[in-house]
Amino acid sequence: MHRLSVLELSRGLAAGDFSSVEITRHFLDRIGSSNDLLNAFITVTEERALEQAAAADQRIKQGTAHALTGIPIAHKDILCVDGVRTTCASKMLESFVAPYSATVVEKLDQVGAVMLGKTNMDEFAMGSSNENSCFGPVRNPWDVSRVPGGSSGGSAAAVAARLVPISTGTDTGGSVRQPAALTGTTGIKPTYGRISRYGMIAFASSLDQAGVIGQSAADAALMLETMCGFDTKDSTSSQQPVEALHNELEGDLKGLRIGVPDVFFAEGLSDGVKAQVEAALNVFESQGATLLQVSLPHLHLSVPAYYVVAPAECSSNLSRFDGVRFGHRCDNPKDLDDLYRRSRSEGFGPEVLRRILTGTFVLSAGYYDAYYKKAQRVRRLINADFQQAFEQVDLIMGPTSPTTAFPLGEKTDDPVSMYLNDIYTVGVSLAGLPAASIPCGLSEGLPVGLHIIGDHFCERKVLSAGHQFQQVTDFHTLRPEGEGA
Amino acid sequence: MSWEIVIGLEVHAQLATRSKIFSGSSTTYGAEPNTQASLVDLGFPGVLPVLNEEAVRMAVLFGLAVNATIDQRSIFARKNYFYPDLPKGYQISQFESPIVAGGEITIDVGEDQKQTKTIHLTRAHLEEDAGKSMHEEFDKHTGIDLNRAGIPLLEIVSEPDMRSAREAVAYLKKIHALVQYLGICDGNMQEGSFRCDANVSIRPSGQKELGTRTELKNLNSFRFIERAINVEVERHIDVIESGNAIIQQTRLYDPDKNQTRAMRSKEEANDYRYFPDPDLLPVVIEDALIEQLRQQLPELPDARRTRYENELGLSSYDAEVLTNSKSHSDYFEALCATIGDQTKLCANWVIGELSAALNKDGLDPQQSNVSPDALAGLLARIVDNTVSGSMAKDVFVAMWQGEGSADDVIDAKGLRQISDPEAIATLIKQVMGNHPDQLGQYRDGKDKLFGFFVGKVMQAAGGKANPAQVNQLLKTLLNENS
């Protein structure tokens, strides 16, 4: 049953082949037997899930079901779910029970999706390996000695191991796409503003965007479509009409112009990843697409620009965690300063502290112009580069991540090498573009992701290309074997 | 040495919106602590601010009223600092692109208040208020009330254009009147809807460069503001003349001791790390909105004052006093409208008896015990000579105490004025008959005795005779047989 895609499960539910309660129990059992090893879930909401499943079965019987009604899903533990613990994988929020639901959560509740639980992540979505979690690292089902990527590592590992058919994730600099690449799953983050950020605990507000990690572009399209749309509670959400996605992916690749930037294939890219990505591009070409060289002259500045903008926003966004109203509070504070200092030092992990300090620094008087303002300028230049490229091409493609999944602990002492893992993804985030990572083969037994980048609000084009690719390849159906599987 | 005083003011006017600037919570004053604080106001994880357009419209109205530039693309910024009554750890304010830039207002200056002076505004920007820390109510703890967190404020910053405490107060009264005329702030200083900080410095007369300033915080009445500035200026002079330097710092005025004291023991330069708030889009104000609001601008204090002088014939003083407060001025207009063609009488009563009674009971004209209609009823009795002006004051006191309409009180107290010429003549003749000596002296040329006869006649009439008629008849009768 867990081998079925969301669309297959949906058809099975409609046909009465199984009930939502049955599949919900099935996946809950899988979580029960595998989560100790993979650590993909922080919280499993069994009771709530079974109630939702029973309600979904009723709805299916009444004939008022949506395609996602009764489908088990998971939410990254950064999305607030009313009455459910929402931790952001931080000691700061270890016992925080959200008093309201995120807009995304409400939308998926409304169509009758069944939430199995909250997935593990890097603390406050800061990390590329899911090792920065106060609940411990997530393991990659393809090789449990390796990381699943991050920050949505729990969602990616859970889908890769089929502990859940599909999950939400969030992406600030690559946090949906990079773990999708490292776990052989399909991940998409839409255009900035497509999905309401209300109820998604903020890391870097101008970059944060929810997305989906699933088994295929078609599955992801179904869930993404449900999550999109303007929300009066989020002033930065877009009023651009939402395109139908999941029934609109058919077509062919003939005449599709694919831009291939040099900079994506420069130094730092591993040979194995390079080979698989080039092979994938050849598939597109063989299906009638045209590959064109495009130039993104400022993209090499994206990592430093990102690591100024994101920490700056983070340092301010995380100020509300002060031990006064909610979250961790230190024992017996001597005075106000002591309350702040100890509550925050104890509540946040080292990577979060590093980014708060970096962000505080770059916003400080005397440094603001040199760092924050300059980074914003770089951001505009990168966006302009992409805009220019999209005058010539429909999509841009390259590798999602320079390497396959790396061993746990390999980069934990070297933040810069960890940050370089985001080299292909953060520029896209700075430009607010929609992008997906789809599996395009294995290198030494580990999945490689193909990065598909579209122009603003061209989610359908991105997913459609991914779907066409998945019609003629079977990389997305490859599954890990062994311990984690 | 002679010193020049330099004062700049920052006014925080609470905008009279129904809901907060970034959430739907109510802004009603005086609710139980923390009952008007939503998840947004509490800064819960994941919540986002949504701008209340009404606050923007109010800020634009203010900008138009002071002839400022409206920034058609203004930006909200975060002002970052930690304090328990600041839930998010930052205040959403405006920094680089405020909604209102520049602008000016005119104040009266000089001993006789006959000259005018233009005070320039630097800017006015929108921001959210913080909550309230309550240090006294809880033993060894501080209570936090977040009802006020997120109330919209318009911070109005002046250039350092004022040269005396008196000018500062004149400026503040102007702004205070203006925001009430515009209907964007209730102006209540006790409840903190209209707050002021003053930046004060001195420099040797003739010097161009500004002296080191201190900032006086939370001055919550015009009287305290004037006293606080004066006492702070004296302190500056004392410090400098004794060879020391003024330290740039924030100081609190203590009205009981009439002195200022440093708020913090050491002055740390705060680095608020302002940056544009990524949760809010730039505020774009279309020309059409500006034009629409321009049409909606009500008559403003200066225009109203000119009209009172030119069209109603009021003195400059009366016109100014009346128009300084929109509610007094509105009361005056309602009164005039009811009684018609008695503007000077109406002005005297609003400035005199009515204002005194309101002040005594701490009431606003809208809360007056005597409505404009009721007062018009009384003034009509003065005009038709039913009562004299001085009797009317007694009638007003009775009306204020709830004893009914002017006619009710006049009847109940038997205050109806004697204006029948024959009755008055009879009284006069009696008085003349009772005082033959004085009558003789008067007729011999001792004119001063006229007042004596007026007094005696009024006495005989129990104070109810029409004074003008008494005067006139007395003159006739005293001189008649001579």
Side-chain angles (χ1 to χ4, degrees), chain A residues 100 199 316-317 320 325 340 365, chain B residues 42 44-46 78 80 84 87 271:
Chain A
Y100 75 105
S316 176
N317 282 332
R320 68 190 62 201
R325 294 165 314 286
Y340 285 151
Chain B
L42 293 168
F44 259 61
R78 294 184 182 179
N80 294 283
D271 183 354

Side-chain angles (χ1 to χ4, degrees), chain A residues 80 96 99-100 192 197-201 205-206 232-236 312-313 316-317 319-321 325-326 336 340 344 360 363-365 368 372-373, chain B residues 39-40 42-51 78 80 82-90 96 144 146 271 273-281:
Chain A
C80 288
F96 176 73
Y100 75 105
Y192 179 79
R197 292 186 293 113
Y198 186 77
M200 172 176 155
I201 298 176
S205 315
S206 75
T232 52
K233 292 179 192 148
D234 175 3
S235 314
T236 63
E313 294 181 12
S316 176
N317 282 332
S319 292
R320 68 190 62 201
F321 303 104
R325 294 165 314 286
F326 45 74
L336 186 59
Y340 285 151
R344 288 169 65 79
T360 304
L363 289 175
S364 298
Y368 180 84
Y372 184 78
K373 270 213 154 147
Chain B
L39 293 176
V40 174
L42 293 168
F44 259 61
V47 299
L48 296 169
V50 176
L51 177 62
R78 294 184 182 179
N80 294 283
F82 283 96
Y83 204 69
D85 61 23
L86 187 71
K88 298 184 293 295
Y90 58 85
E96 279 185 344
I144 304 291
L146 295 175
D271 183 354
R273 290 172 282 120
Y274 281 101
F275 75 106
D277 190 331
D279 287 334
L280 290 160
L281 301 175

Side-chain angles (χ1 to χ4, degrees), chain B residues 232 249-254 257 259-263:
Chain B
E232 181 63 5
Q249 62 187 180
T250 303
R251 298 178 69 86
L252 267 185
Y253 175 65
D254 180 341
K257 296 180 182 154
Q259 62 186 34
T260 66
R261 61 181 151 81
M263 249 173 98

Side-chain angles (χ1 to χ4, degrees), chain B residues 61-70 100-105 121 294 297:
Chain B
L61 274 177
F62 177 81
L64 292 173
V66 296
N67 281 319
T69 307
I70 307 299
V100 173
E104 58 184 47
I105 64 159
L121 303 189
R294 202 189 295 280
L297 275 180

Side-chain angles (χ1 to χ4, degrees), chain A residues 125-154:
Chain A
M126 298 174 201
S128 309
S129 68
N130 216 126
E131 292 166 290
N132 306 327
S133 164
C134 85
F135 297 96
V138 176
R139 289 168 183 275
N140 191 325
W142 290 84
D143 176 348
V144 292
S145 72
R146 291 175 186 267
V147 303
S151 68
S152 310

Side-chain angles (χ1 to χ4, degrees), chain B residues 266-306:
Chain B
K266 56 177 176 187
E267 180 65 14
E268 294 164 0
N270 273 317
D271 183 354
Y272 292 119
R273 290 172 282 120
Y274 281 101
F275 75 106
D277 190 331
D279 287 334
L280 290 160
L281 301 175
V283 183
V284 176
I285 300 166
E286 311 282 349
D287 286 330
L289 178 67
I290 294 179
E291 274 323 299
Q292 184 201 332
L293 290 170
R294 202 189 295 280
Q295 301 306 318
Q296 283 174 21
L297 275 180
E299 184 185 37
L300 297 176
D302 285 348
R304 194 174 269 196
R305 182 176 160 184
T306 309

Side-chain angles (χ1 to χ4, degrees), chain A residues 114-416:
Chain A
V114 176
M115 182 187 79
L116 302 185
K118 310 290 295 289
T119 56
N120 203 345
M121 55 186 280
D122 282 301
E123 183 179 3
F124 283 101
M126 298 174 201
S128 309
S129 68
N130 216 126
E131 292 166 290
N132 306 327
S133 164
C134 85
F135 297 96
V138 176
R139 289 168 183 275
N140 191 325
W142 290 84
D143 176 348
V144 292
S145 72
R146 291 175 186 267
V147 303
S151 68
S152 310
S155 299
V159 173
R162 301 293 191 267
L163 307 187
V164 68
I166 197 162
S167 177
T168 55
T170 65
D171 190 312
T172 303
S175 284
V176 159
R177 294 160 287 158
Q178 185 256 15
L182 270 47
T183 58
T185 51
T186 297
I188 176 154
K189 79 126 205 145
T191 310
Y192 179 79
R194 254 303 181 211
I195 296 179
S196 168
R197 292 186 293 113
Y198 186 77
M200 172 176 155
I201 298 176
F203 156 22
S205 315
S206 75
L207 297 158
D208 293 344
Q209 190 57 199
V212 180
I213 295 176
Q215 302 162 46
S216 67
D219 278 4
L222 171 62
M223 182 136 132
L224 186 70
E225 180 185 286
T226 315
M227 292 160 65
C228 291
F230 173 69
D231 180 9
T232 52
K233 292 179 192 148
D234 175 3
S235 314
T236 63
S237 65
S238 170
Q239 305 212 31
Q240 186 98 355
V242 178
E243 299 177 300
L245 293 174
H246 84 280
N247 282 323
E248 304 292 333
L249 301 181
E250 303 306 327
D252 62 44
L253 295 167
K254 276 197 188 65
L256 185 76
R257 297 166 303 165
I258 298 170
V260 184
D262 285 351
V263 62
F264 281 0
F265 294 87
E267 200 192 322
L269 178 62
S270 74
D271 293 342
V273 170
K274 188 174 179 216
Q276 295 306 319
V277 170
E278 282 174 349
L281 291 173
N282 290 338
V283 172
F284 279 97
E285 204 170 18
S286 70
Q287 296 294 309
T290 318
L291 303 184
L292 294 161
Q293 285 256 336
V294 290
S295 131
L296 299 170
H298 299 96
L299 199 78
H300 66 286
L301 298 171
S302 60
V303 171
Y306 175 87
Y307 280 97
V308 169
V309 173
E313 294 181 12
C314 132
S315 71
S316 176
N317 282 332
L318 270 58
S319 292
R320 68 190 62 201
F321 303 104
D322 57 5
V324 174
R325 294 165 314 286
F326 45 74
H328 178 72
R329 178 186 289 187
C330 68
D331 290 331
N332 306 315
K334 281 204 308 278
D335 54 27
L336 186 59
D337 274 350
D338 189 44
L339 169 77
Y340 285 151
R341 188 168 292 121
R342 280 201 289 132
S343 299
R344 288 169 65 79
S345 302
E346 293 165 7
F348 292 134
E351 182 60 26
V352 173
L353 290 174
R354 181 179 297 122
R355 297 203 195 187
I356 290 173
L357 290 171
T358 308
T360 304
F361 175 78
V362 300
L363 289 175
S364 298
Y367 298 99
Y368 180 84
D369 289 348
Y371 292 101
Y372 184 78
K373 270 213 154 147
K374 194 177 281 177
Q376 291 292 10
R377 212 155 60 228
V378 169
R379 187 174 184 176
R380 286 191 290 274
L381 291 172
I382 290 171
N383 189 34
D385 283 357
F386 275 111
Q387 288 313 306
Q388 205 162 16
F390 282 120
E391 284 171 15
Q392 304 158 44
V393 299
D394 301 302
L395 295 170
I396 291 170
M397 294 191 194
T400 307
S401 170
T403 65
T404 55
F406 45 90
L408 283 156
E410 189 185 86
K411 298 178 197 261
T412 40
D413 294 331
D414 184 358
V416 173

